[in-house]
């Protein structure tokens, strides 16, 4: 336990030193921390610059951190990530520390995706985190580190943009931005299909003749009518609620925030 705390403190100290050096040197704030060197220098520079640009644009920090610490595993990566985020002044945006952070534990091949602050938790819903993880997990699973972090940053840009419009990506959200041209094409296609169907019906009706009586429509050998009376006195209807065994906060939408102010999702890759 002491060894684990020491390693977290050491990483926090490194992040703090980097933050302090950045302030005095007036350079771009660091958003990407890759002590495992999963990225090349050029990949690191590109992704850090993009994360800085989006963070400043929306006032919500975008971070990702890599660690190959053997003590970081699937069972404790959540508390590891939350402790790091709270203790380091280099993480988060502004005094409220609004942000989102992806922590990658390469030793146990696990990850934790967290959001913090009112802005972070509003934008990154439970559903939104699931949606994001579907994009980067496969890339990390094939050791495509650059591709995974790139799509993570791009998804953050999209999610923060939607939240700024007042429609965060959630379970009830539908990505249907087909534009005016798309609606026009759909309308024309519908008219063509309706015309074809009506033409077929019309051609089938040409052989029909008007009947002068009902004899042609009634087969007396098919129906037997007797003198019977049925009276419905009352009806009893029983309703039973169908419960979803998988019902959880994510299926209802919104963001589940714990007592420390974090929302998050973890898994393996």
């Amino acid at each position: 336990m002491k060894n684990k705390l020491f390693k977290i403190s050491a990483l926090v100290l490194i992040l703090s030193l980097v933050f302090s050096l950045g302030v005095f040197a007036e350079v771009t704030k660091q958003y990407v921390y890759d002590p495992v060197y999963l990225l090349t220098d050029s990949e690191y520079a590109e992704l850090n610059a993009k994360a800085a640009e989006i963070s400043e644009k929306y006032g919500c920090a975008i971070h990702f951190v890599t660690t190959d610490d053997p003590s970081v595993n699937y069972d404790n990566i959540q508390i590891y990530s939350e402790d790091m985020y709270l203790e380091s002044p280099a993480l988060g945006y502004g005094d409220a520390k609004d942000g989102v952070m992806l922590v990658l534990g390469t030793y146990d091949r696990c990850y934790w995706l967290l959001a913090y602050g009112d802005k972070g938790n509003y934008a990154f819903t439970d559903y939104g985190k699931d949606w994001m993880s579907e994009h980067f997990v496969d890339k990390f699973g094939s050791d495509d580190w650059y591709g995974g972090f790139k799509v993570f940053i791009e998804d953050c840009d999209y999610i923060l943009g939607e939240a700024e419009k007042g429609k965060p990506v959630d379970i009830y959200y539908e990505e249907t931005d087909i534009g005016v041209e798309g609606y026009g094409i759909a309308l024309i296609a519908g008219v063509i299909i309706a015309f074809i169907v009506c033409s077929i019906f019309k051609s089938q009706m040409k052989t029909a003749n008007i009947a002068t009586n009902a004899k042609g429509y009634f087969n007396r050998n098919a129906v037997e009518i007797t003198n019977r009376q049925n009276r419905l006195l009352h009806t009893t209807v029983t309703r039973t609620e169908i419960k979803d065994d998988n019902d959880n906060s994510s299926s209802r939408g919104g963001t589940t925030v714990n007592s420390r102010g974090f929302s998050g999702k973890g898994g393996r890759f």
Side-chain angles (χ1 to χ4, degrees):
M1 183 64 181
K2 291 182 179 179
N3 187 40
K4 177 187 172 185
L5 292 174
F6 173 77
K7 291 180 178 179
I8 294 177
S9 301
L11 183 53
V12 169
L13 178 60
I14 292 173
L15 297 179
S16 301
L17 289 173
V18 171
F19 172 75
S20 300
L21 291 173
V23 170
F24 288 114
E26 296 184 354
V27 297
T28 302
K29 180 181 175 181
Q30 189 170 357
Y31 289 88
V32 176
Y33 300 93
D34 181 32
V36 186
Y37 291 97
L38 298 179
L39 303 171
T40 65
D41 291 344
S42 60
E43 289 172 344
Y44 164 80
E46 175 193 336
L47 295 178
N48 189 75
K50 189 63 177 177
E53 175 189 344
I54 299 170
S55 299
E56 292 295 331
K57 180 180 178 181
Y58 297 109
C60 185
I62 299 172
H63 298 291
F64 66 78
V65 179
T66 67
T67 177
D68 57 0
D69 185 345
S71 68
V72 178
N73 55 56
Y74 178 76
D75 295 326
N76 62 26
I77 193 170
Q78 176 183 356
I79 191 67
Y80 175 90
S81 304
E82 292 181 357
D83 286 348
M84 182 197 309
Y85 195 92
L86 290 176
E87 295 173 14
S88 173
L91 301 175
Y93 191 94
D95 294 336
K97 291 178 70 69
D98 284 292
V100 60
M101 184 172 74
L102 175 61
V103 178
L104 217 62
T106 58
Y107 184 83
D108 195 35
R109 298 188 73 84
C110 58
Y111 75 89
W112 188 258
L113 174 61
L114 65 79
Y116 187 80
D118 292 340
K119 186 172 292 187
N121 285 321
Y122 172 73
F124 296 92
T125 63
D126 296 342
Y127 175 85
K129 295 186 189 73
D130 289 339
W131 179 80
M132 292 175 68
S133 65
E134 290 177 359
H135 297 165
F136 61 69
V137 164
D138 287 342
K139 293 186 179 296
F140 291 147
S142 58
D143 293 349
D144 181 8
W145 313 116
Y146 170 77
F149 288 127
K150 185 174 184 290
V151 75
F152 164 70
I153 293 176
E154 291 171 346
D155 284 348
C156 287
D157 187 13
Y158 177 76
I159 282 182
L160 287 168
E162 294 301 289
E164 193 168 79
K165 297 177 197 175
K167 51 176 186 177
V169 176
D170 207 340
I171 191 169
Y172 307 111
Y173 180 88
E174 295 183 1
E175 190 178 354
T176 55
D177 186 15
I178 64 174
V180 177
E181 294 182 358
Y183 286 110
I185 294 173
L187 178 61
I188 294 172
V191 172
I192 293 173
I193 293 172
F195 175 77
I196 294 172
V197 172
C198 291
S199 298
I200 294 172
F201 285 159
K202 183 178 179 180
S203 64
Q204 292 174 344
M205 292 297 293
K206 288 182 179 179
T207 58
N209 296 316
I210 300 176
T212 57
N213 55 60
K215 183 172 67 174
Y217 301 104
F218 183 74
N219 183 356
R220 64 176 67 252
N221 296 321
V223 180
E224 179 183 359
I225 301 176
T226 59
N227 184 18
R228 295 179 181 178
Q229 293 183 349
N230 295 316
R231 295 181 181 180
L232 180 64
L233 300 180
H234 65 276
T235 302
T236 301
V237 179
T238 303
R239 293 183 174 87
T240 303
E241 181 182 1
I242 301 175
K243 294 187 179 293
D244 185 359
D245 294 333
N246 297 319
D247 186 24
N248 52 48
S249 58
S250 180
S251 65
R252 293 192 296 270
T255 308
T256 305
V257 181
N258 64 23
S259 59
R260 305 180 85 189
F262 290 97
S263 60
K265 170 185 173 56
R268 297 184 183 275
F269 58 89

